[in-house]
Amino acid sequence: MKTHPLDDISRLLDNAASAAGRPPPRLLAVSKTQPAGAVAGLVVLGQRAFGENYVQEAAAKIAELEQAEPGMPSLEWHLIGHLQSNKAREATALFDWVQTVDRAKLVAALARHRDPERGPLNVLVQVNIDDEASKHGCRPDEVEGLAAAIAGEPLLRLRGLMVIPTPHDDPELGRPAFRRSRALFDALRERYPQVDTLSMGMSSDAAIAIAEGATMVRIGTALFGARNLSSKGTSSGA
């Protein structure tokens, strides 16, 4: 009997965590470029957390789901694409998490626009762990300053780090970057006890990321199939 990709991925994550002696990570289903119906199909199977790259795309998708599926359970929406400061107001209204905070100006904008009635916005510091010119993210030595800025804002909740290492044909080649990310995460957690999330690993390298300490993996391709190649922007989860 053929299983759903969600079952296969859940089994892979559980097996990788067991082999590494770690708790299973959270699964973030990367729904960018996917239609609302594809999201609804995963919700029926129990998936609740979804990642989107663009504010406008997410707004349309969320509205469509709310209109078409009025009885749908509460979902958790993560922004995993680069966010311009002038989109902070919209982002704080739509998302429960922003995983791509990489500069002080964005910290201030998110804090300024978050509705207090929604409670603090969960925030991850995005780190450009391999210092790639084509990717967003702060330098590793900038994590401490950004974390302090986030922790000082009552309407933001510092939860940890997000990284997108350089992709390799052989996923093993990404292991050193995952290890450096884990070291940064452990150091951050020593200073801020509320830190609990290290978001790293995608469809091709999730098992290695888990072995090196990921607490959340971002899976798109393995769940939904190849993404829409007309979509622009840097991949934040696949």
Side-chain angles (χ1 to χ4, degrees), residues 13-136:
L13 302 187
D14 287 345
N15 289 343
S18 178
R22 302 186 185 279
R26 294 191 66 200
L27 170 62
L28 183 69
V30 177
S31 50
K32 63 179 184 179
T33 78
Q34 301 296 331
V39 172
L42 285 184
V43 172
V44 169
L45 297 174
Q47 180 64 24
R48 296 291 181 267
F50 294 88
E52 291 285 330
N53 262 30
Y54 301 108
V55 172
Q56 288 90 339
E57 180 186 343
K61 195 172 298 180
I62 292 169
E64 183 177 346
L65 284 166
E66 290 176 348
Q67 183 176 8
E69 306 285 346
M72 178 170 288
S74 178
L75 303 181
E76 184 179 282
W77 293 96
H78 294 235
L79 181 65
I80 58 173
H82 179 68
L83 179 63
Q84 297 176 342
S85 297
N86 62 6
K87 297 287 182 65
R89 181 190 297 273
E90 296 169 87
T92 61
L94 285 171
F95 293 98
D96 305 291
W97 291 63
V98 175
Q99 296 202 13
T100 51
V101 173
D102 60 358
R103 59 203 186 280
K105 181 179 179 181
L106 182 56
V107 172
L110 292 171
R112 183 169 63 252
H113 292 301
R114 181 66 170 182
D115 182 352
E117 292 188 2
R118 292 200 64 187
L121 176 69
N122 297 294
V123 168
L124 300 182
V125 175
Q126 181 179 2
V127 186
N128 189 344
I129 196 65
D130 286 322
D131 194 24
E132 295 178 88
S134 62
K135 285 182 180 174
H136 296 287

Side-chain angles (χ1 to χ4, degrees), residues 175-194:
R175 194 181 289 273
F178 288 140
R179 286 180 176 167
R180 295 196 304 274
S181 301
R182 172 64 186 274
L184 278 176
F185 175 71
D186 286 344
L188 187 65
R189 190 163 51 176
E190 286 183 5
R191 294 193 297 275
Y192 300 98
Q194 76 273 24

Side-chain angles (χ1 to χ4, degrees), residues 136-148:
H136 296 287
C138 71
R139 299 190 310 269
D141 63 2
E142 294 174 322
V143 168
E144 185 173 352
L146 276 174

